[in-house]
Amino acid sequence: MTEYNDYAECCGTCRYHKKDASDDWICTCPYSEYMSVWTEYDDSCDSWEGR
């Protein structure tokens, strides 16, 4: 099992990883290929920015 910390460059630590109205996590980064897509904590992309 992979463990993540607060410094891992993944969706779970990205400033654009937000909860939507249905309480699911979604990408809100306008530069990401995952914009408006539900994401998991360990997903990642090149547009990552720390919180």
Side-chain angles (χ1 to χ4, degrees):
M1 177 174 174
T2 304
E3 290 189 29
Y4 295 93
N5 60 42
D6 292 337
Y7 304 105
E9 291 188 12
C10 60
C11 289
T13 62
C14 183
R15 69 182 291 183
Y16 296 108
H17 200 221
K18 310 285 183 187
K19 284 202 174 196
D20 66 5
S22 62
D23 220 24
D24 290 317
W25 289 96
I26 193 165
C27 177
T28 62
C29 178
Y31 312 109
S32 174
E33 66 267 27
Y34 297 111
M35 172 66 177
S36 299
V37 174
W38 288 303
T39 53
E40 297 294 330
Y41 187 96
D42 60 344
D43 290 338
S44 65
C45 76
D46 294 336
S47 300
W48 180 89
E49 288 185 32
R51 292 180 191 240

